Amino acid sequence: PHGAVLAMATIVKETPLRSFVKAAGWRFTAGVVTAASSFIFTGSLATAASIVGWDLFSKSGTMFIGERLWNNVKWGKSKSGDSSQRSLAKALAWRLFAALNTLFAATVLTKGKAGVAGKIAGSDSVVKTVLFFFYERVWAVVAWGKYDEEEPEPEAEPETKAD
């Protein structure tokens, strides 16, 4: 088309280092919560440590990958940072994966005590969903590791005149 102008939109992206730091910080925070709930429900420091170890090993990489995937999702992003709706969606999506992971690990590491494992995963889910939402809200206002990227906006269909 003649005279078409390509509009550009500015999208805020995050560096891999920012994603790594966010993931590591969350893993530490989550590990403290899991250690407490595991010890409360099993009464065993060794079992609690093994569940935390499993979580640390199995979720560290997946948390980083999740941050990199969310980096490509435009919904809920603006120049001023992530919306609270985006933070909630991230918290719920991550919690679903993480709860199933913890439930599996706790069941295996408590030698099949599904009731105990359910209490650990359930209490973790409630506490960590709330914590993760606020963790995301704090990171939403941290400028470090963010950069602007210009992306073309979708073209509007040209208007046609009837003859």
Side-chain angles (χ1 to χ4, degrees):
H2 49 333
V5 176
L6 184 60
M8 299 296 279
T10 302
I11 297 293
V12 177
K13 295 280 208 162
E14 298 183 355
T15 64
L17 182 58
R18 178 184 167 96
S19 296
F20 174 80
V21 171
K22 280 178 69 176
W26 176 250
R27 288 302 344 129
F28 175 79
T29 305
V32 170
V33 173
T34 299
S37 65
S38 296
F39 182 72
I40 288 167
F41 292 117
T42 67
S44 166
L45 197 52
T47 301
S50 64
I51 293 170
V52 170
W54 170 285
D55 270 9
L56 181 63
F57 180 75
S58 66
K59 294 177 184 172
S60 293
T62 53
M63 181 75 185
F64 175 79
I65 291 166
E67 282 297 309
R68 299 310 301 155
L69 291 172
W70 272 102
N71 191 47
N72 293 314
V73 176
K74 296 175 190 170
W75 174 79
K77 284 185 175 185
S78 71
K79 274 298 265 181
S80 60
D82 290 356
S83 69
S84 57
Q85 292 85 357
R86 180 182 172 88
S87 294
L88 181 60
K90 287 178 74 174
L92 294 174
W94 175 251
R95 186 63 1 234
L96 176 64
F97 167 78
L100 293 173
N101 183 296
T102 299
L103 180 63
F104 175 78
T107 301
V108 169
L109 296 170
T110 60
K111 298 176 176 60
K113 296 179 183 169
V116 170
K119 290 176 184 176
I120 294 168
S123 64
D124 269 17
S125 290
V126 171
V127 172
K128 289 180 186 176
T129 299
V130 173
L131 279 178
F132 191 78
F133 173 79
F134 288 108
Y135 186 80
E136 280 293 311
R137 296 312 305 143
V138 169
W139 274 99
V141 298
V142 174
W144 174 79
K146 290 183 180 180
Y147 64 94
D148 293 339
E149 184 171 286
E150 296 281 326
E151 294 188 356
E153 288 186 356
E155 279 188 48
E157 290 294 319
E159 292 184 25
T160 56
K161 295 180 182 179
D163 290 324

